[in-house]
Every structure is written in structure tokens, then in C-alpha cells.
Amino acid sequence: MAAHAAVLPSPSRAPLWSMPPGAVWPTLGPEETETDALRAPGTVQHFAQDRRIFADGDPAEHFYRMVSGVVRACKFLSDGRRQIEAFYVAGDVFGLEAGTHYSISAEAVNNSMVVAFRRKAVEALARKDTLLSCQLMTAMMGALDHARRHSLLLGRRGAVEKVASFLTEWARQSAVAGTIHLAMTRQDIADYLGLTIETVSRTLTQMERDRLIALPGTRQIRLCNRAALADLAA
Amino acid sequence: MAAHAAVLPSPSRAPLWSMPPGAVWPTLGPEETETDALRAPGTVQHFAQDRRIFADGDPAEHFYRMVSGVVRACKFLSDGRRQIEAFYVAGDVFGLEAGTHYSISAEAVNNSMVVAFRRKAVEALARKDTLLSCQLMTAMMGALDHARRHSLLLGRRGAVEKVASFLTEWARQSAVAGTIHLAMTRQDIADYLGLTIETVSRTLTQMERDRLIALPGTRQIRLCNRAALADLAA
DNA sequence: CGCCGAGTTGACCATGTTCAAGGTGGGTGG
DNA sequence: CCACCCACCTTGAACATGGTCAACTCGGCG
């Protein structure tokens, strides 16, 4: 039961793109989680706030596992418009790529610590070690699930629903006693939700008026009516 | 060189979420493509127009490879709003899931033929056969890439850019002599782009006025100025 | 204290949606 | 073979949501 949480070596809290329990592919027995090949060849790295970890188009030589902090994965249009695809937190794996180059950029939202893995080394390992393949596969599919839910959000939800969804999602990973601490700016939130900074701000203010949340500080959000919020997030 | 195209057994045309050339993970030598374990255990199935192949929440017992026709993958909100995440065409693999249940629905856009694989059988194979794992991995990552590009589209592009992107993307797979045949309705296009049917219609009409396209029939689009179109799609 | 970046608020505006009416074309049955 | 029908599509006008632009506030820090 608890063994399922150890699919990827990490603190056991759910990643932002929450991996469903039992989401191992193929299904693994508890004893197999001992192998944990991802732990061996990694090197620890630190990134200061807003530092780029890799850019869209760079050769994909490493991939990463979050230890602490928050990282955003984003894409840009030629005119600078930005879409944040995901925020990564402790335990999340990112930078796995189909081709030889990254198709997305990754930047530290705040001071962050990651473990970097040489892609080639892990590829070689993965060819021998089926368990490792499965771990990577599971990480990928979790990311795919998240991307799909995110598309539904971006394409078919209004501003209030978007903000409510974000709060609900982020609360799962960063709520202490009903109060969220935001690692990211309003601009980050806006770019994650496909909105503008002003709309995010207005929506939060309106939610405060409606007693759904309280805003004790700009980076702190207290969830007063979590049920109603979850309801908005539908 | 050419062997790279045979990552998945299929007609060699690029899938809608185009898999980049050389997108094998880990990188495979030409000789290895002989194995092609996906070919063995499949059973051919036909689905009539609008028939559901699987629904969000169903137990994920199979996954599929397109032989002919077009399939849409979509998610729904409780009030019926729909977001189409992808259209699948010959060669595309879909229905790979992280958990034990599908997280998306798949429906035939027109009469379609697919090969179904028992998930358990292939899982078992994949644990032995690293090549197979890699093929699946590559398929997944192609899907992830597509989902990310789609998020950027949904979150940060206007109606004209969206329609132009759709035309450009779909032309790659269904253009004969500069004329696209649409398998899907305007509603499908709208739900793919996060727009309404009226906006899609108006945008196409405007593009016709601007001599970017011609509309000889409702399901036929002639690309008159492909460069300008690609430019709009940025 | 004053500056500066981040956030908020307001007024106006643009894009895309909604609602409603009319057109078109492919298939069916008389 | 033609008429009708129905689903699909187009068009128009009013409307709403969210974006833009600009002013102002707040809080942290030199």
C-alpha cells in the first residue's frame, strides 16, 4: 500500500500533477521499489530565483528531480507571450524529452535544489532495468495526465473557475492549516491560467469579498470555504 | 536513417502530434526495429462514426493504434463543455494510461479501424523487452509534446492564430495538392481550439475574404497562401 | 525617507460568446 | 427524379467576459 508512494524516490507528498495512487506501469510489487536506480547517478544542483535550468531548444542532456523549491515549465511565443505548463515541487521529475532537444523551458520560481541525471547514463540503465523504465514511464504519464487536465482548464473554463482550480490544486501541495503560501508571483499564476495579472488580482479580490478566501498577505491565501472553492473548480 | 521512422509499426506519415525524426528513446540502432512487439498481439476493431472507443473513467484494459480513420480524444466538464485534446490518425497510438482507468475519452470522428492491444499482455512483454518500453515511451513523449504545444495554443493565442494553427497542423496530415479534407465538424474544431462553432465559422470566412484560403465545400479547405497562414500560426 | 517592484483598482475597449434567424447540401422516401 | 428534411453551417446583432491602459497603493529595503 505505502510502497506505491515510492514509485519515485522523494518526499512522499503528491506532486502538483498528482500521480494517482497505484499509478505504476507496469504494476510493481513492493519489494521491487528497493532498486531505485534514479538515486545513484544524480548530482545535486542549486538554482537561484528566476535562473534558467534549461531552455526550449537546448540539447536535452539531463533530466531532473526536484528536491526543494519550485520550478516552472514554460513555453513562449515569438512576441513574448508566455504559457506556464506546470509548476514542479519536491519529488517531481522534469526534463524528460522525446527528441534530442528540450521542447520547453524550465526556470526556478524561487531558490531551488534539484538532482540532475545524465540522460545517456540513465538511458543505458533503463535498457537493462525494466523497473527504471517503468518509473520513468509513470512520471511521463503523470505529466501527460496533468497536461490534459490543464488543456481542459485553459480551453473551457472561465476566470473564476481557473483561479479556483489553481487554488485547489496548489493547496494540495502547499497548504498548512488551510493557508497557502504562494511561491510564485501573480504574473506566474496568470501565465499558468492563460489570464492577465489584472484578472487574477480582481478574481482573488472578488473571492475575498465572497468570503471564499482571505488574503492576509500578497503571497498568502487562507481558504475559508474550501468546499465552495472545489465546487467552482468543478 | 529511415529506420527512425519505424519507431512504431505504421504507415510512415507523421502523426498529428508529429513525432520528431530521431525521436527514439533510448536511441535505437536500425537492426532493432525488427522486433516490433506491438505487431503481434493486436486485434483489429472497427468503430462507426461517433462511437465511443473508451470513456474517461473506464478501466484501462486496452490501448490502441490507429489504422485508418480519425479518432478524437476528449474530456468533459460536468455541464457538458467539451475539450478535444487531440485527433489521432493512422499510426498514432492512444489509450496509454498512468493509472488503472482512462483519464480521457476516445471517440471515432468517422468510420475508423484500430488495432487493440491487451494492456496486461503488453505490460508483461515490456518488462522483458526494453525496445518495446522505448517505443511506448516515445509514443507517450510525443503525446506530451503535443499536449504542451496545445496548452500554449489554448492559453495564449487568439482565434485567428488558433484556426491558422489548426489548418497548418491538419494540413500536414490530410492535405492533397494544397486542399485539406476535414474529417471533423466545425463543432469538433471549435472544441479542439477552445472556441465556439460560430467563431470558427466567422474566422474561416474572414480568411477566405483575405484570400488565405478557399472554401469549395464545408469539409474542404484550399490553402491559397500557406506562408501567410504559417505566419499567423507563428 | 524614498524608491522600486509587485499588486490592486478603475474606466474603457476588444475579442469572442450568445442568441436568433436564415442558408446549404446530402440523404431519404414518395 | 424531385421534394423534403435535418443536421450542419453561416451570418448578424446584442452582450459579456476578460484585456488594455493608466493611476494608485502597499511593503520591503537601501
Side-chain angles (χ1 to χ4, degrees):
Chain A
M1 203 65 175
H4 278 129
V7 174
L8 288 168
S10 70
S12 62
R13 37 192 355 179
L16 185 53
W17 37 268
S18 74
M19 200 179 296
V24 186
W25 197 100
T27 311
L28 301 171
E31 74 288 348
E32 297 176 281
T33 57
E34 300 300 321
T35 315
D36 259 355
L38 274 188
R39 182 156 277 153
T43 69
V44 173
Q45 296 182 9
H46 293 262
F47 291 90
Q49 188 168 9
D50 292 323
R51 272 292 150 71
R52 180 185 296 143
I53 296 167
F54 54 80
D56 195 340
D58 285 353
E61 288 166 355
H62 298 85
F63 63 90
Y64 302 85
R65 183 165 54 76
M66 292 295 299
V67 176
S68 67
V70 178
V71 164
R72 60 178 172 254
C74 44
K75 288 180 84 76
F76 296 87
L77 293 175
S78 41
D79 60 2
R81 281 174 289 178
R82 181 178 71 158
Q83 178 65 48
I84 294 179
E85 310 284 341
F87 294 108
Y88 300 120
V89 299
D92 291 348
V93 170
F94 64 96
L96 291 162
E97 288 296 325
T100 53
H101 297 259
Y102 294 113
S103 65
I104 201 164
S105 304
E107 301 165 356
V109 169
N110 53 13
N111 291 352
S112 299
M113 189 160 103
V114 302
V115 183
F117 301 94
R118 300 209 108 268
R119 180 182 152 151
K120 283 210 171 138
V122 178
E123 278 180 5
L125 260 179
R127 308 199 57 178
K128 303 266 152 58
D129 181 348
T130 319
L131 169 65
L132 178 56
S133 300
C134 295
Q135 290 180 345
L136 296 174
M137 191 74 125
T138 301
M140 294 267 331
M141 296 214 251
L144 185 54
D145 263 22
H146 176 266
R148 284 166 171 174
R149 277 198 306 280
H150 199 211
S151 286
L152 180 61
L153 183 80
L154 292 171
R156 287 299 181 214
R157 294 177 115 118
V160 180
E161 296 172 298
K162 284 180 176 180
V163 173
S165 295
F166 170 75
L167 292 178
T168 303
E169 188 184 20
W170 191 248
R172 208 178 307 141
Q173 105 72 25
S174 133
V176 181
T179 298
I180 299 176
H181 175 77
L182 297 176
M184 65 289 285
T185 65
R186 296 286 190 270
Q187 187 64 63
D188 285 329
I189 298 174
D191 287 346
Y192 181 68
L193 297 176
L195 296 170
T196 59
I197 190 176
E198 292 96 333
T199 300
V200 171
S201 187
R202 275 188 257 272
T203 305
L204 287 172
T205 305
Q206 188 55 48
M207 283 177 166
E208 190 176 30
R209 279 194 209 103
D210 298 346
R211 312 281 169 206
L212 296 176
I213 60 174
L215 299 166
T218 57
R219 298 292 181 94
Q220 243 130 312
I221 302 183
R222 177 174 192 82
L223 308 180
C224 303
N225 191 342
R226 211 148 157 171
L229 220 47
D231 205 56
L232 279 178
Chain B
M1 205 63 171
H4 279 130
V7 174
L8 288 167
S10 70
S12 61
R13 40 191 351 179
L16 184 52
W17 37 269
S18 74
M19 198 177 298
V24 185
W25 196 99
T27 311
L28 301 171
E31 75 287 350
E32 298 176 280
T33 56
E34 301 297 323
T35 316
D36 260 355
L38 275 187
R39 184 156 275 154
T43 69
V44 173
Q45 295 182 11
H46 292 262
F47 290 90
Q49 188 168 11
D50 291 323
R51 273 291 150 71
R52 178 181 298 145
I53 296 165
F54 54 79
D56 195 340
D58 285 354
E61 288 166 353
H62 298 85
F63 63 90
Y64 302 85
R65 184 165 52 78
M66 292 294 300
V67 175
S68 67
V70 178
V71 164
R72 61 178 171 254
C74 43
K75 287 179 85 74
F76 297 87
L77 292 176
S78 41
D79 61 2
R81 282 175 288 178
R82 181 177 70 160
Q83 177 65 49
I84 295 180
E85 310 283 342
F87 293 108
Y88 300 119
V89 299
D92 292 348
V93 170
F94 63 97
L96 290 163
E97 288 296 326
T100 53
H101 297 259
Y102 295 112
S103 63
I104 202 164
S105 304
E107 302 166 354
V109 168
N110 54 13
N111 291 352
S112 299
M113 189 160 106
V114 302
V115 182
F117 301 94
R118 299 210 109 268
R119 181 182 150 150
K120 283 210 171 138
V122 178
E123 278 181 6
L125 261 179
R127 306 199 57 179
K128 303 268 151 57
D129 181 348
T130 317
L131 169 65
L132 178 56
S133 300
C134 295
Q135 290 180 344
L136 296 174
M137 191 75 124
T138 301
M140 295 264 331
M141 295 213 252
L144 184 54
D145 262 22
H146 176 265
R148 284 165 171 176
R149 278 197 305 279
H150 199 212
S151 287
L152 181 60
L153 182 80
L154 292 171
R156 288 299 180 212
R157 296 179 114 117
V160 180
E161 296 171 298
K162 284 180 176 180
V163 173
S165 294
F166 171 76
L167 292 178
T168 303
E169 186 183 22
W170 191 248
R172 207 177 309 141
Q173 106 74 25
S174 135
V176 181
T179 298
I180 298 177
H181 175 76
L182 297 176
M184 66 289 286
T185 66
R186 295 286 189 271
Q187 187 65 63
D188 286 328
I189 299 174
D191 287 346
Y192 181 68
L193 297 176
L195 296 171
T196 59
I197 190 176
E198 292 95 332
T199 299
V200 171
S201 188
R202 274 188 257 271
T203 305
L204 286 172
T205 306
Q206 187 55 48
M207 284 176 164
E208 189 176 31
R209 280 194 208 104
D210 298 345
R211 311 284 168 207
L212 295 176
I213 59 173
L215 300 165
T218 57
R219 299 293 181 94
Q220 243 129 314
I221 301 183
R222 178 173 192 81
L223 307 181
C224 304
N225 191 342
R226 212 147 157 172
L229 220 48
D231 205 54
L232 278 179

